[in-house]
Amino acid sequence: MKCFSFNSLKKRRAVNQVMGSVVILGVVTSIGSVVLFNGMNQINAFSYDLSFHDKAKNEAYREKIMFEHVRFEPGTDQIILYLANIGTTESTIESITVVQLDTQNILVDWEDSMNSTIQIKESSDPIILDANLNPFTWDDSTYRTSEYRISITTSKGNFFSTVASPYNT
């Protein structure tokens, strides 16, 4: 049996700290890159799979219409809407509804047979709506002091609305 003396333990040398760090770095890097690339492949496969599921629903999430201006034409019963498409897909308007908020009367129930299409990042042509005010106009006190909810429904099933009042009252 061999005996170790104190002097023989002193002569042994440990692995240099720099060399140890390089070896550990190599091990961590190789394992980490395998995990990273495998994870990225899984994420790409998941994204690719999502692109095939319900494409219409994915497009509906990217649709956004903004009301640029609502004009209640003085002396008439017309409303002029200026809309802008700020989404990333084109929008087709199927219906527009105008409701007087205090009485809940539906003044406009418009369904366009030709469907107005608003291209991406563009303003629409003005949409002129005739309200059902009977013999009255927007100048009448019944309509001048009320607020109106204007709602738009698109072909993708989205719903956009705003509240407006004549002459900024």
Side-chain angles (χ1 to χ4, degrees):
M1 184 152 189
K2 213 176 187 185
C3 247
F4 292 103
S5 70
F6 182 72
N7 287 338
S8 68
L9 289 177
K10 261 185 156 183
K11 291 179 184 176
R12 288 188 167 196
R13 297 190 178 231
V15 177
N16 187 353
Q17 288 181 346
V18 173
M19 290 303 294
S21 296
V22 168
V23 169
I24 295 297
L25 182 63
V27 170
V28 169
T29 303
S30 61
I31 292 174
S33 63
V34 168
V35 170
L36 175 71
F37 290 126
N38 190 20
M40 288 179 63
N41 286 338
Q42 292 297 321
I43 290 171
N44 287 338
F46 180 70
S47 296
Y48 183 73
D49 188 45
L50 281 180
S51 68
F52 291 110
H53 293 292
D54 208 1
K55 190 171 186 175
K57 195 173 208 176
N58 290 340
E59 280 190 8
Y61 290 133
R62 298 180 3 223
E63 185 177 50
K64 180 73 175 158
I65 294 177
M66 178 179 72
F67 289 84
E68 285 186 323
H69 182 66
V70 177
R71 178 173 169 78
F72 293 84
E73 194 66 32
T76 68
D77 64 349
Q78 290 184 339
I79 301 173
I80 302 174
L81 297 177
Y82 296 89
L83 306 171
N85 184 350
I86 58 173
T88 57
T89 184
E90 75 176 24
S91 299
T92 303
I93 298 172
E94 283 194 345
S95 68
I96 300 175
T97 307
V98 178
V99 177
Q100 188 175 8
L101 288 180
D102 53 351
T103 63
Q104 295 298 306
N105 289 334
I106 298 175
L107 302 177
V108 175
D109 190 9
W110 179 81
E111 290 189 27
D112 190 12
S113 59
M114 294 176 49
N115 291 336
S116 299
T117 300
I118 306 173
Q119 299 299 324
I120 302 168
K121 304 287 185 203
E122 288 186 10
S123 296
S124 71
D125 293 330
I127 298 172
I128 300 172
L129 305 170
D130 291 318
N132 185 16
L133 304 181
N134 297 325
F136 300 109
T137 65
W138 294 116
D139 297 327
D140 187 75
S141 62
T142 306
Y143 298 107
R144 177 184 283 245
T145 58
S146 293
E147 288 187 329
Y148 302 91
R149 175 166 304 277
I150 303 167
S151 305
I152 294 176
T153 305
T154 65
S155 61
K156 293 180 177 77
N158 286 328
F159 180 84
F160 303 98
S161 68
T162 189
V163 175
S165 61
Y167 317 121
N168 294 326
T169 55

